[in-house]
Amino acid sequence: MANDRPNSMLKRRKVVVTAVVAACFGFALGATEWAQADAPTAPALSISTNTAPQQALVALPDFTPIIDRYGPAVVNISSTTNKVIHQQANPFPPNSPFYQFFHHFMAPGQNGSGPQQHEKIQSLGSGFIISPDGYIVTAGHVVRGANHVVVTLTNHHAYPAKLIGLSVRYDTALLKIDAKNLPTVPIGNSDDMKVGQWLLAVGAPFGFYNTVTQGVVSAMNRPLPDDEYIPFIQSDVPINPGNSGGPLFNMQGQVVGINDQIYTNSGGYMGLSFSIPINTVMRVVQDFKDHKAIQFGYLGVEVQDVTPPMAQALHLKEPVGALVASVMPGSPAAKAGIKPGDVIVTYDNKPVYNVGQLPPMVGNTLPGTRARVGILHRGAAETKDVLVTALPKNMAGPSGSQEASQPAQVGKVSRMGIHVQSLTPDIEKRLDVHHGVVVVGVSEGAAAEAGIMPGMIIQQIDQQDVNNPTQLEHIVASLPANQPIPLLVRQGKASIYVVVTLPKK
């Protein structure tokens, strides 16, 4: 019955509509006959039209001059990559009764050996021409690992492209095609950009060539977890797969960035787009053209965020800056006097509000440059003059050979609820540490609540270096109760500060 009611209602509505239409039709017919018989002829309507260009009532940006002038310098990039697919092998031996059953589900010719198959994968991206003789800039992930790259211009001419250089850290690539007298784009200065300025993106989202989208700058110098050396431009310009590598224009028609990433839960645009600043890009591109190895600035510190509890433990007024967890021996930071526990708040006269801002600042510094680094040392402001060097090619610690263990001093710190022992030569060489104590046991207490686990090395407590278990016991005995205290620990080859709150004695 529930299904019959809507149908009956629908039928009634149809009937009513039909009746009304019929009535109106009859009335209209009668009215028409009456008008023809008695009414005077109505004058023709006079409609005034004006097709001349009119001034806009509301001032909005007009992007057409940018596209007309520089649109031809934006190119489409298609790349082909050979991907190796490992086919599943028959898990049963030939004499198994299940072998033949599973064999029917294998691809022809496999015979359970699990051979490799090669599949060609094609991807689309965008790029822009920076010189009339055919140099093209794009995002590194557009052509990374590609066996064949083709560049197509807006006039539909296609050229095979040669990869001149590619940087994974900066996600930037430089291509070259054999052509002359090509249209180019002007390069702007991304350091001059401000939040709220209009932007224009050109690319091929989902393969729809020469698509134009617009938006504004949402934030500058935005760090992302997987790209620590890139100070991204965040915008709300709609960018989708296929836009990667395309230019980001300002209102002067200058390229200020490469469209690179989006934040999404669906695979499509959700209002957050990220572009590589053109100043970062062109530094890499120039090295490519000069056939130079790309060098990154190196400070030699491991840093972490300053949380509100950590700021309280370090006696800071507010939780800002990058907390130095460790300093590499012989590094520029070590030579300048920067120590674990210092908080970096400025770099090269630029503020450092959080830990994500520092790596791109240092990485983009040319080796050999002197940078002024502002720190808070035990709450007091200091400035260090640091000579930035090149990032070492091998950042891994020395492996060394295994040595026989020597007797180690063991101690118990009851107030923290841990057992510790002194470092052995093997641990010092393997982890490249020179002071601290190894946690060998953890029970309920302050250390467990702070996340301390066996195997960690306690290097510092309350900004005092720890060299042996006895020293740690004495320091802990002198510390106040129920107050946050900074504790520097090392796990593997990474150091980090945690906050520990000690109970009453």
Side-chain angles (χ1 to χ4, degrees):
M1 295 297 294
N3 293 334
D4 293 338
R5 184 176 180 183
N7 292 336
S8 60
M9 292 179 65
L10 180 59
K11 291 178 181 178
R12 287 197 296 271
R13 289 175 184 150
K14 288 182 178 179
V15 171
V16 171
V17 171
T18 304
V20 171
V21 171
C24 292
F25 180 78
F27 174 78
L29 179 61
T32 302
E33 293 175 349
W34 173 82
Q36 289 177 348
D38 303 321
T41 302
L45 293 176
S46 176
I47 301 176
S48 175
T49 60
N50 186 357
T51 59
Q54 300 292 312
Q55 183 178 1
L57 298 179
V58 180
L60 292 174
D62 182 9
F63 306 114
T64 54
I66 298 176
I67 300 304
D68 291 342
R69 181 174 297 185
Y70 303 118
V74 181
V75 301
N76 303 315
I77 299 175
S78 61
S79 60
T80 304
T81 306
N82 289 331
K83 182 178 180 181
V84 178
I85 301 176
H86 297 274
Q87 296 293 337
Q88 185 178 7
N90 195 322
F92 301 101
N95 59 352
S96 170
F98 299 101
Y99 177 83
Q100 292 298 329
F101 174 80
F102 194 87
H103 181 72
H104 292 297
F105 294 91
M106 305 289 292
Q110 286 190 20
N111 296 324
S113 59
Q116 297 180 352
Q117 288 191 355
H118 296 270
E119 179 183 1
K120 289 186 176 181
I121 299 178
Q122 291 186 335
S123 59
L124 293 176
S126 305
F128 50 94
I129 306 171
I130 61 171
S131 65
D133 56 346
Y135 281 100
I136 296 169
V137 174
T138 186
H141 68 268
V142 172
V143 294
R144 185 181 181 186
N147 303 100
H148 186 59
V149 179
V150 174
V151 171
T152 304
L153 309 185
T154 55
N155 60 10
H156 306 293
H157 290 176
Y159 300 87
K162 177 182 178 182
L163 179 63
I164 302 300
L166 187 149
S167 171
V168 176
R169 288 183 184 268
Y170 285 137
D171 198 20
T172 299
L174 180 65
L175 306 176
K176 178 70 168 64
I177 62 175
D178 188 10
K180 296 180 180 180
N181 301 321
L182 296 175
T184 62
V185 296
I187 303 299
N189 185 358
S190 52
D191 290 341
D192 293 339
M193 298 178 62
K194 296 181 180 179
V195 174
Q197 289 181 333
W198 282 99
L199 297 170
L200 193 69
V202 185
F206 301 108
F208 293 101
Y209 298 150
N210 307 322
T211 297
V212 180
T213 53
Q214 52 81 26
V216 297
V217 179
S218 302
M220 293 295 296
N221 301 317
R222 182 73 76 192
L224 295 181
D226 296 332
D227 301 276
E228 61 179 359
Y229 283 93
I230 304 176
F232 283 98
I233 302 167
Q234 180 185 331
S235 72
D236 66 348
V237 178
I239 295 175
N240 285 289
N243 274 112
S244 291
L248 189 70
F249 289 99
N250 60 15
M251 291 300 95
Q252 288 72 43
Q254 301 168 327
V255 175
V256 291
I258 292 181
N259 300 317
D260 192 67
Q261 298 183 34
I262 58 174
Y263 182 88
T264 178
N265 290 326
S266 62
Y269 170 74
M270 294 181 64
L272 295 175
S273 304
F274 300 94
S275 305
I276 308 172
I278 199 63
N279 289 12
T280 301
V281 170
M282 295 310 295
R283 173 177 168 251
V284 179
V285 167
Q286 191 59 50
D287 287 341
F288 288 153
K289 294 186 69 174
D290 296 340
H291 303 287
K292 294 181 180 179
I294 298 175
Q295 293 184 324
F296 303 89
Y298 174 66
L299 199 59
V301 295
E302 291 180 347
V303 291
Q304 66 181 84
D305 263 325
V306 180
T307 62
M310 184 61 69
Q312 185 180 358
L314 295 174
H315 308 289
L316 303 179
K317 295 181 179 179
E318 52 185 346
V320 296
L323 174 60
V324 178
S326 67
V327 180
M328 309 305 173
S331 66
K335 293 178 180 179
I338 297 176
K339 300 177 180 179
D342 292 342
V343 179
I344 298 176
V345 291
T346 64
Y347 179 84
D348 198 23
N349 300 319
K350 297 178 182 178
V352 178
Y353 297 109
N354 55 65
V355 69
Q357 290 180 288
L358 187 61
M361 289 181 176
V362 177
N364 288 322
T365 304
L366 290 175
T369 303
R370 287 197 171 273
R372 294 174 61 83
V373 180
I375 66 170
L376 296 176
H377 178 70
R378 296 183 180 272
E382 297 181 10
T383 300
K384 302 293 184 180
D385 188 33
V386 183
L387 177 61
V388 179
T389 61
L391 180 71
K393 295 182 179 179
N394 184 10
M395 291 295 296
S399 57
S401 58
Q402 297 292 331
E403 298 181 4
S405 299
Q406 298 181 2
Q409 179 186 351
V410 180
K412 179 181 179 181
V413 187
S414 301
R415 200 175 178 202
M416 293 182 66
I418 57 174
H419 287 78
V420 295
Q421 74 172 38
S422 58
L423 300 179
T424 63
D426 174 42
I427 294 176
E428 291 182 356
K429 180 174 289 188
R430 178 159 45 88
L431 299 181
D432 194 23
V433 294
H434 306 285
H435 70 276
V437 293
V438 183
V439 178
V440 294
V442 180
S443 58
E444 292 185 5
E449 293 174 358
I452 304 302
M453 297 183 294
M456 290 184 173
I457 299 175
I458 297 178
Q459 295 184 289
Q460 194 184 88
I461 186 168
D462 195 32
Q463 296 188 286
Q464 301 180 57
D465 288 342
V466 175
N467 295 298
N468 55 66
T470 302
Q471 182 189 21
L472 177 62
E473 293 180 54
H474 290 320
I475 296 176
V476 171
S478 65
L479 295 176
N482 301 321
Q483 292 186 16
I485 297 171
L487 182 71
L488 178 63
V489 298
R490 188 176 183 92
Q491 186 173 24
K493 294 185 178 181
S495 297
I496 187 173
Y497 274 95
V498 297
V499 174
V500 62
T501 303
L502 299 172
K504 294 182 179 180
K505 301 177 183 178

